[in-house]
Amino acid sequence: MPNSSSIGTMTVFDIVVIGSGPAGTTTARYAAEKGLSVLMVDKKQELGAPIQCSGAVSFNALDNAGVFPSPEFIQEAIYGFAIYNGQGQKKVIDYRKIKPGEYGSEAGAKPLGFVVDRRRFDRYLATQAERAGVTIWLKTEALGYRVLDDGSCEVALKKFNDTITVKAKVVVGADGVQSQVGKWAGIKTHIKLSELASCLQFVVDGVQTEGLLEIVTGHEWAPGGYAWVFPKGHGYAEIGLGVTRTMCTDNAQVYLDKFLKQSFFKERFKNCRILEIQGGGVPLAAPLKIQHADNLILVGDAARHVNSITGGGIHTALSSGKIAGNFLAALLLSGEPCTKENLKGYHNNWLNAMGNNMWKLYEVKRKIFDTADIAQRDEQLYATMSNYFSVDSEYKKI
Amino acid sequence: MMSTKDPVVFEVEWNACIKCGACVAVCPQEAGFTSSFDTIAVNKACDIACMFCQTVCPVNAITHQTLFSTEAAVF
Ligand SMILES: Cc1cc2nc3c(=O)[nH]c(=O)nc-3n(C[C@H](O)[C@H](O)[C@H](O)COP(=O)(O)OP(=O)(O)OC[C@H]3O[C@@H](n4cnc5c(N)ncnc54)[C@H](O)[C@@H]3O)c2cc1C
Ligand code: SF4
């Protein structure tokens, strides 16, 4: 198992990963599996909490990143989608009916995806990383980094109440939507108000679901975003929405209240009881044009690796983490320094594997939300969402 | 970013805040304009005063006071 070493009193690692979400844990695991010494820090005391996510992720996303779909984190299996327009007309894409035998709950068939509990999911991913040799420090906030003359860098950390410095060849900013790590290197990471979906969701009891992710489009319910009803296991459901604040007059809370009480689902929601409140920001933004600097790269939400049509970022965080971990392992094992120039290879690998497609998705999203006529925009979003999740979708590979 | 607006001091109502980080994500300030609770800074004056944080907050947890009109309260 690779270990840190010490120079004087300073601890030295090959890689310091900041953030232990899907992006950080995956980057750390792939790098450690290749034999590098990796420290992953998170300021949280409990992984995945507070929850800022609905937890929908495809079977393929887990499979591609070597994550076994464990009952430890799965809350409910998903078999398809129901996409609604603002008036309640729906398109159901149920893979149990489209490809019977292949998708389903019976023996030999598999689910299309899952709703996961992010507390347990993030902990599971961290355990995988830890078993691959990653050192994990919780209650450890990264405060800044400094490039050193010898081609490495040092990272200032606050671990519980102690301020310490560790030395590394490269720092990975996997610090999520509120990323500060990029700013340390002068990368502009703040997200435009017009490109951040402001989201709120309730975990509820008393709302029936059918193994489908339900997506409700329409300016009336969620301007610049959509509303959702996801199965949450044990008879629970998630009801939530994301709105673009520059496209509406009120905040997400007002819209969620309206969705519960006034939408075509109001009868269905009549007896729902709210058990948990969660929220967050989803960057429906272009990926960062620059995701690297000397001794530093950004991965996941921090680099805005989010699907700007669906707002999904778990799949893309896992995939980018794998690309980043493998790239850094190859670079460091080659003995080449982690200069900005050399780290561009990470960005190029990411563009080829998924980034170019993410840029295309962003353009599709932008075109829809730039449409001034609301009826037209609603129609486009409904059509695009329906198309996105269909079996023969042109976006399938993204 | 240049702004001709008066500097403001934000206040986050701790119990209303769901600690989602959206306010920090849209903040155009330099690194470190965050409180220890993953929200926008509450102990420093903001001279940009774009109000993005206050607008994006899903639960209206953020309010502000204009610095010059509240000097007595701030210092
Ligand atoms: C309401 C909502 C619903 C969503 N639903 C879905 C969904 O159903 N499916 C889906 O695929 N995606 C969904 N997303 C998006 C998804 O949650 C994110 O894209 C995903 O979590 C990004 O992973 P990440 O690893 O990049 O960052 P995160 O999971 O955000 O992890 C970042 C970590 O970095 C840590 N950190 C930050 N700064 C520091 C620091 N200075 N020092 C130490 N640690 C630090 C944080 O504590 C955090 O643990 C949703 C998002 C929201 C807001
Ligand atoms: S946007 Fe509002 S709810 Fe979210 S962290 Fe900031 S103050 Fe709290």
Side-chain angles (χ1 to χ4, degrees), chain A residues 60 85 102 124 177 196 204 209 216 229 270 280 292 375 396:
Chain A
N60 285 341
N85 70 6
E102 189 178 345
Y124 184 92
V177 70
L196 188 82
V204 301
T209 53
V216 179
V229 184
K270 207 169 58 187
H292 63 287
K396 202 90 190 266

Side-chain angles (χ1 to χ4, degrees), chain A residues 269-327:
Chain A
F269 294 161
K270 207 169 58 187
N271 296 319
C272 91
R273 286 172 298 279
I274 297 168
L275 304 174
E276 286 178 17
I277 300 171
Q278 295 150 0
V282 172
L284 301 180
L288 290 183
K289 287 201 174 111
I290 295 172
Q291 309 180 353
H292 63 287
D294 281 332
N295 306 90
L296 185 144
I297 64 165
L298 300 176
V299 190
D301 268 14
R304 295 187 216 143
H305 294 166
V306 178
N307 180 322
S308 42
I309 301 280
T310 65
I314 301 176
H315 184 169
T316 44
L318 293 170
S319 306
S320 316
K322 181 175 173 180
I323 293 165
N326 282 336
F327 174 83

Side-chain angles (χ1 to χ4, degrees), chain A residues 43 52 183 191 198 245 251, chain B residues 19 25 29 38 55-56 60:
Chain A
K43 60 189 175 190
Q52 299 163 351
K183 287 189 181 183
I191 301 160
S198 175
R245 277 304 262 121
N251 66 10
Chain B
K19 310 207 169 22
Q29 287 278 15
D38 277 356
T55 312
V56 84
N60 272 3

Side-chain angles (χ1 to χ4, degrees), chain A residues 13-28:
Chain A
F13 290 90
D14 289 323
I15 304 179
V16 173
V17 177
I18 300 166
S20 64
T25 47
T26 310
T27 308

Side-chain angles (χ1 to χ4, degrees), chain A residues 18-78:
Chain A
I18 300 166
S20 64
T25 47
T26 310
T27 308
R29 170 163 54 93
Y30 275 94
E33 276 171 359
K34 303 275 177 341
L36 300 188
S37 66
V38 184
L39 170 67
M40 181 170 70
V41 300
D42 201 300
K43 60 189 175 190
K44 290 179 172 173
Q45 65 188 51
E46 206 178 315
L47 295 174
I51 291 183
Q52 299 163 351
C53 181
S54 313
V57 62
S58 68
F59 184 96
N60 285 341
L62 299 183
D63 199 42
N64 290 339
V67 181
F68 176 75
S70 164
E72 183 177 334
F73 58 76
I74 291 171
Q75 290 180 309
E76 189 153 341
I78 299 299

